[in-house]
Amino acid sequence: MLSFSVYSNGRLAEKVNLAGAYVVGSDDVPLLADLNFKSGVITCKKRGAGPSGLALLWPIADVGTVLLETVRLLERPKPYSLQLELARGRLLRISQKMEDWGLLNYPGTESIVAEISAARESFISALQADDPIQVATLAEDALKRAVIASEALTRFHAEMFLARRKQSGGFPRRLLGCAVPVETPLDLCQRRLAGVFDFVTVPMIWRDVEPSEQTFNWKPLDALVENLAKNRMPMKGSPLLSFSEKNVPSWLYTWQNDFDTVRDLAFEHARRVVNRYGQHIQTWDVISGIHANTCLSFTFEQLMELTRMTAALVKQASPRSTAIIDLVAPWGEYYARNQRTIPPLLYADMAAQGSVNFDAFGVQLLFGPAVDGMFVRDLFQVSSLLDQFAKLSKPVHVTAVQVPSEPGDPSQPGGEEKGNPQDGGFWHGEWSDQVQADWLRQFMQIALSKPFVDSVSWHDVFDHPRQSVLGGGLLRQDMSPKPAYQQWQKIRGELLSGQK
């Protein structure tokens, strides 16, 4: 049995938020497990052998509520101290990343190293304490110091490598993009997009294009593409193929037990879209989220066949186009709920090592809602995740990034219990216009400091009812700019001028 005691305010905790919690194995792959909380103890009945850890949302003063992981532990009858193991996990990862980033004894890190040392001292004191309440209190202090220091370390590393990338001129021409819905006002390009974004992601939603079998509705998409083309705005099509519930047309479920027919229908849909818009669109997210979001039941082999098929179609129809395989929920927590899916990095490795003809990986980083893949992670974890893609020897496009600019409406369902309907965590305070802008700047420094990152696209440039992250636009519904939009403009100006 793997279990953790939790203390709060000097006594055993009365409640713990297990929304989004999961067990993760020694290879960082989530495991099937039953999680329960009772009498101050979290119990994890996992269905796999070997060391494992717990990941869960945890509030940290001055940092926010973020999803953190313990170290990997062996099962034992006695509960582990949750706060102690969370602190141990972060301190271990700091040591690993300092070595990976070449920052051991690096000039300029003295204040960060001092804070890491203070975190270690609190951790050692917690190890030496006998009273479990004192253990938890000291471990909380160690955890807070460690998380704050790890984000400072991330910023230091990002600023240093971003400056180097600027000096070397290592940025592609189409670096900064945004996504727009089909219902985009025709004058938006001239008012808010031109001169601020290098490209626009156009939504290719199968459900909208073919609402009934062999009945097509191209008019809204045609109008958007024609307007962007008229304004000479480069475009990316996304997703060419996706089997998430919001993308799949309802009539396709008729064929859900006939893979050959589903494959043929998917091929025809992708072919029609590429042939219709290929003259305007030279970059495609050829397949998106198939490793995680599949409302139809596919085997591993079938998922890979659909990936190969769609990528090959794009490269044959438009050999000079860029074909991107898009990953969602990149930490893979969905795999702990549904093992008919594929862990994201395993899927990426299979695509890179297999016979799939594609050019780059995409990764979506959406935070805020209490949905697997969208629970808030701190920026140290975001930077560490991006580093894992460097091992795959393919360029990376951040195809969608977004956080909210508002906390949500507590009157909505679940609001009273969770605080708000987007209770997937917070970063340095409740979400607001200013917090969104601050997060954007720090994230962009991190992403653009990675030499293998070829583009970053903000998801939903303006607020609208169909957003995955409500309030996540850079513009309000009336198209007035938020502080994050102004921050985006400033970042673009800095890149163009070569200034910090």
Side-chain angles (χ1 to χ4, degrees):
M1 174 73 70
L2 186 64
S3 60
F4 299 88
S5 60
V6 188
Y7 287 85
S8 177
N9 299 319
R11 61 179 183 271
L12 282 169
E14 296 179 358
K15 59 181 180 179
V16 168
N17 185 3
L18 291 181
Y22 63 97
V23 172
V24 58
S26 56
D27 53 0
D28 292 335
V29 174
L31 303 173
L32 280 173
D34 296 321
L35 303 181
N36 292 287
F37 176 76
K38 184 178 180 181
S39 302
V41 176
I42 301 172
T43 56
C44 311
K45 296 180 180 178
K46 59 191 181 76
R47 306 175 195 178
S52 57
L54 176 65
L56 81 168
L57 279 176
W58 191 254
I60 304 174
D62 301 325
V63 174
T65 298
V66 296
L67 202 149
L68 300 173
E69 295 181 14
T70 69
V71 290
R72 308 305 180 248
L73 302 160
L74 295 172
E75 294 186 63
R76 70 179 191 186
K78 181 182 177 181
Y80 291 94
S81 168
L82 178 65
Q83 287 98 321
L84 187 69
E85 301 309 329
L86 288 173
R88 193 197 306 268
R90 179 49 57 99
L91 287 168
L92 176 62
R93 288 173 178 81
I94 288 173
S95 296
Q96 293 169 341
K97 290 311 293 182
M98 287 191 73
E99 184 174 352
D100 291 346
W101 287 342
L103 296 181
L104 293 173
N105 302 316
Y106 198 91
T109 62
E110 292 81 8
S111 62
I112 300 173
V113 170
E115 187 64 19
I116 294 171
S117 297
R120 287 199 181 105
E121 289 174 7
S122 290
F123 178 73
I124 292 171
S125 297
L127 286 175
Q128 295 171 339
D130 296 324
D131 178 41
I133 295 174
Q134 188 179 13
V135 170
T137 301
L138 291 166
E140 280 280 7
D141 180 68
L143 178 61
K144 174 185 172 179
R145 291 176 179 273
V147 172
I148 291 174
S150 64
E151 285 208 325
L153 188 71
T154 302
R155 288 192 299 271
F156 180 89
H157 178 261
E159 289 168 4
M160 180 174 62
F161 277 82
L162 180 58
R164 292 182 185 178
R165 194 175 184 188
K166 286 178 181 178
Q167 291 171 0
S168 66
F171 295 111
R173 186 164 56 94
R174 296 177 182 174
L175 178 65
L176 304 179
C178 66
V180 296
V182 171
E183 306 86 0
T184 297
L186 294 181
D187 65 342
L188 179 68
C189 185
Q190 293 177 332
R191 290 172 56 198
R192 297 300 186 192
L193 302 185
V196 180
F197 300 94
D198 301 317
F199 65 92
V200 170
T201 300
V202 176
M204 303 291 180
I205 308 300
W206 190 359
R207 174 187 287 269
D208 295 340
V209 167
E210 193 176 1
S212 301
E213 191 169 3
Q214 293 300 309
T215 301
F216 302 98
N217 179 26
W218 298 106
K219 188 175 179 180
L221 199 52
D222 284 350
L224 176 59
V225 171
E226 288 170 9
N227 180 53
L228 292 170
K230 179 182 177 181
N231 286 278
R232 298 183 179 180
M233 177 63 73
M235 288 171 268
K236 183 181 76 168
S238 177
L240 185 57
L241 194 62
S242 169
F243 286 92
S244 67
E245 189 172 337
K246 68 179 182 180
N247 281 274
V248 168
S250 57
W251 57 264
L252 191 67
Y253 290 96
T254 304
W255 309 102
Q256 61 183 323
N257 296 318
D258 185 347
F259 173 74
D260 290 342
T261 299
V262 169
R263 179 197 58 211
D264 293 344
L265 290 167
F267 178 87
E268 286 303 314
H269 164 72
R271 183 186 60 79
R272 279 191 294 267
V273 172
V274 173
N275 287 343
R276 191 176 188 92
Y277 300 114
Q279 62 177 322
H280 299 300
I281 298 176
Q282 296 298 310
T283 302
W284 299 90
D285 292 336
V286 297
I287 197 159
S288 179
I290 196 171
H291 58 97
N293 299 325
T294 53
C295 55
L296 304 180
S297 297
F298 297 127
T299 65
F300 179 87
E301 292 76 15
Q302 289 168 345
L303 292 173
M304 297 309 300
E305 182 177 345
L306 288 167
T307 303
R308 282 191 294 271
M309 176 196 76
T310 316
L313 182 149
V314 169
K315 299 305 288 185
Q316 290 168 4
S318 182
R320 298 180 64 183
S321 66
T322 299
I324 298 171
I325 292 179
D326 194 28
L327 305 175
V328 303
W331 279 274
E333 51 263 57
Y334 59 85
Y335 188 68
R337 333 289 183 201
N338 178 10
Q339 297 210 328
R340 289 185 64 85
T341 57
I342 310 174
L345 289 174
L346 174 60
Y347 170 74
D349 188 60
M350 290 295 295
Q353 301 299 327
S355 56
V356 182
N357 184 12
F358 72 107
D359 300 297
F361 285 110
V363 58
Q364 296 190 20
L365 294 165
L366 309 179
F367 298 112
V371 176
D372 276 343
M374 299 189 189
F375 290 96
V376 174
R377 310 271 181 158
D378 64 271
L379 292 175
F380 175 77
Q381 294 181 81
V382 171
S383 183
S384 299
L385 172 84
L386 289 174
D387 286 345
Q388 294 188 56
F389 285 93
K391 304 172 186 177
L392 297 173
S393 302
K394 289 278 188 182
V396 171
H397 296 257
V398 180
T399 52
V401 60
Q402 194 167 43
V403 295
S405 63
E406 56 192 54
D409 184 358
S411 67
Q412 295 297 313
E416 294 181 2
E417 176 185 348
K418 297 180 179 180
N420 66 74
Q422 292 195 115
D423 194 21
F426 299 92
W427 180 81
H428 292 241
E430 192 174 72
W431 292 115
S432 67
D433 282 355
Q434 191 57 52
V435 170
Q436 182 194 45
D438 292 344
W439 187 94
L440 182 150
R441 166 158 284 276
Q442 292 195 33
F443 170 81
M444 293 296 284
Q445 286 183 327
I446 292 166
L448 298 177
S449 73
K450 311 291 184 184
F452 52 85
V453 171
D454 275 5
S455 75
V456 177
S457 180
W458 192 265
H459 195 52
D460 297 319
V461 71
F462 65 87
D463 290 338
H464 61 89
R466 296 175 65 175
Q467 284 179 289
S468 299
V469 180
L470 293 177
L474 301 179
L475 304 168
R476 298 180 178 87
Q477 281 190 277
D478 64 1
M479 303 304 152
S480 61
K482 300 179 186 178
Y485 178 84
Q486 296 162 345
Q487 191 67 258
W488 186 280
Q489 286 181 299
K490 184 177 179 182
I491 291 168
R492 178 179 170 80
E494 291 168 356
L495 293 173
L496 291 176
S497 66
Q499 298 175 359
K500 292 186 178 180

